Amino acid sequence: MREGVIPASFNSSCPFGLVRTLTDSFGDEVLTFYNIFAPATYFKMLYEKTGNRDKVLADLTMQNKDAVKHALNTIAEDLSILARRVITEGKADGIYLSVQNVQDSRITPELYKEVIAPSELIVLETANRHSENNILHICGYEGSRNDLNLYVHYNAKVINWAVNVEGISLAEGKKLFGGRAVIGGFDTASIIGLTIRAEDADKITDMESFAKYSGKLVPIAPQNAQWAIVEEYNRTHPDNQVNLVASEVFNISDAYTWVLERRYDAYFDIKLSFYNNVLAENAPYRDFADKLAYVPYRAIPTYPLFNKNDQALADAYDEAVEQLRKDGVISELSQKYFGEDIFKYIDK
């Protein structure tokens, strides 16, 4: 997308015209933000059919990081044009810039800052020149996890991330991002548990039996949500603890291999991540599907938020949900959409 290629005047068939149609119809009633993926995400889309686009990006970065940085910055220049014009011509209030850690441990925080971050900042800084109201979305979609510390210096008005996936509350995140505005969203029903060797499935059936078996867990980064959960388990089970070891990297791409090689006996993982990485048709570790098994440990509950002045609505909501629970409707819906009753994993 080059300046000379983008039409000088927009119409209903170009992005700016579509945005302008929406903003004109909404008027001042709602704020409008245009979603733009980070340059690295567009880059990875080119390799969608490989089944592990993050690995491809990491491979290429290892081979020639300067070339990758140049490519990402070139994509960023095009996206900057898009950001500017959806704001100035489409009259959007700002952009919703979606970023994500490369899900490969070879891309260290230092390498991310050197190769990936500059392209993201090019887009964000361009948007900031035309609107002060831009949102940074740190994408934890489908179980992907992020080191939020990589983004504390990104100058966005509002920060958004997957609270349950990252294990960082809105209050903690607000402090991390220097008091800036933060927003949450709907979670994707996270279940956390143990990825183990299939041959051990009869011996490891829950966290307690794993701790008795060996407790040898793949190391976890202390800033990762999983660390706090295992730490809490150890606190409440002083005589039957899991071996909790700190990792220097946030994501460990070799974890599944390490379990099969018997370096460790389990990997603490989000169930959706296990499905996408191992069981899905085009999963990068599909060859491990018959060799690995998953043992759920706990579901992370989510809660609706109500204005404190709407107590009557909150009470009516609680009453309706409790009735659905008693009637078995919630359990039926969980079975339909998740294949099991995930509510049995939520601590009461």
Side-chain angles (χ1 to χ4, degrees):
M1 187 192 299
R2 290 295 180 206
E3 187 74 51
V5 177
I6 299 175
S9 60
F10 61 80
N11 55 59
S12 60
S13 64
C14 74
F16 327 116
L18 294 173
V19 175
R20 184 60 178 269
T21 299
L22 289 174
T23 55
D24 284 346
S25 64
F26 293 149
D28 295 329
E29 294 183 9
V30 298
L31 295 175
T32 306
F33 297 90
Y34 189 90
N35 180 65
I36 295 180
F37 290 110
T41 302
Y42 285 105
F43 188 95
K44 290 188 292 184
M45 287 178 180
L46 296 172
Y47 301 96
E48 195 74 48
K49 293 183 179 180
T50 66
N52 194 345
R53 58 186 195 173
D54 287 86
K55 181 180 183 299
V56 173
L57 177 55
D59 287 342
L60 294 173
T61 302
M62 295 299 103
Q63 294 171 18
N64 192 333
K65 65 180 181 180
D66 292 333
V68 171
K69 181 178 180 179
H70 175 73
L72 296 180
N73 287 352
T74 301
I75 297 173
E77 292 174 6
D78 289 349
L79 294 177
S80 293
I81 297 172
L82 176 61
R84 172 173 61 81
R85 296 191 67 173
V86 295
I87 294 172
T88 60
E89 299 178 37
K91 301 303 178 183
D93 291 287
I95 67 168
Y96 183 83
L97 179 62
S98 177
V99 300
Q100 185 182 80
N101 287 189
V102 179
Q103 304 296 301
D104 191 298
S105 61
R106 291 173 293 170
I107 305 300
T108 62
E110 293 73 24
L111 198 54
Y112 188 97
K113 292 176 182 178
E114 179 184 357
V115 178
I116 310 297
S119 62
E120 297 169 342
L121 292 172
I122 288 172
V123 179
L124 184 57
E125 289 167 2
T126 297
N128 284 337
R129 286 197 290 271
H130 300 283
S131 171
E132 64 176 10
N133 300 312
N134 295 295
I135 301 172
L136 180 69
H137 169 62
I138 305 169
C139 184
Y141 181 65
E142 291 190 335
S144 296
R145 297 189 293 275
N146 299 278
D147 181 355
L148 270 60
N149 291 284
L150 289 174
Y151 307 107
V152 293
H153 65 290
Y154 282 39
N155 186 24
K157 188 72 168 288
V158 180
I159 312 295
N160 167 235
W161 67 95
V163 172
N164 287 339
V165 172
E166 314 298 358
I168 298 177
S169 69
L170 291 179
E172 292 169 331
K174 188 174 183 67
K175 182 178 180 180
L176 177 66
F177 287 99
R180 278 179 280 174
V182 296
I183 55 177
F186 293 104
D187 182 56
T188 52
S190 298
I191 295 177
I192 293 177
L194 299 166
T195 294
I196 61 173
R197 292 181 293 275
E199 64 189 67
D200 295 330
D202 60 332
K203 308 178 191 72
I204 302 174
T205 57
D206 52 27
M207 190 71 90
E208 289 84 353
S209 58
F210 167 63
K212 291 178 181 178
Y213 180 80
S214 74
K216 290 176 58 179
L217 191 68
V218 172
I220 302 173
Q223 68 268 33
N224 193 316
Q226 281 82 337
W227 176 277
I229 295 174
V230 177
E231 192 173 48
E232 172 63 17
Y233 167 83
N234 282 345
R235 186 186 66 79
T236 57
H237 297 77
D239 299 325
N240 187 34
Q241 295 196 347
V242 168
N243 187 19
L244 182 58
V245 178
S247 168
E248 294 181 357
V249 295
F250 194 77
N251 291 311
I252 301 178
S253 59
D254 296 323
Y256 299 119
T257 302
W258 288 351
V259 170
L260 289 178
E261 292 177 345
R262 298 183 179 276
R263 297 191 197 183
Y264 302 94
D265 292 322
Y267 172 45
F268 205 51
D269 197 13
I270 292 176
K271 186 175 183 179
L272 186 58
S273 295
F274 176 75
Y275 175 82
N276 290 331
N277 287 322
V278 179
L279 301 182
E281 183 177 352
N282 295 318
Y285 298 97
R286 177 64 181 169
D287 291 343
F288 296 171
D290 295 332
K291 301 175 183 178
L292 295 172
Y294 190 85
V295 179
Y297 171 55
R298 177 185 298 177
I300 302 176
T302 55
Y303 305 93
L305 298 179
F306 296 93
N307 187 303
K308 63 181 181 180
N309 295 320
D310 290 333
Q311 188 59 51
L313 176 61
D315 292 342
Y317 172 90
D318 287 341
E319 182 178 347
V321 170
E322 177 59 20
Q323 188 60 50
L324 290 172
R325 186 191 66 78
K326 289 181 178 180
D327 293 343
V329 174
I330 291 179
S331 179
E332 291 175 6
L333 290 174
S334 180
Q335 290 284 355
K336 178 179 179 179
Y337 292 103
F338 298 108
E340 62 179 323
D341 185 358
I342 63 173
F343 292 90
K344 65 185 178 183
Y345 302 120
I346 296 178
D347 290 342
K348 300 300 182 182

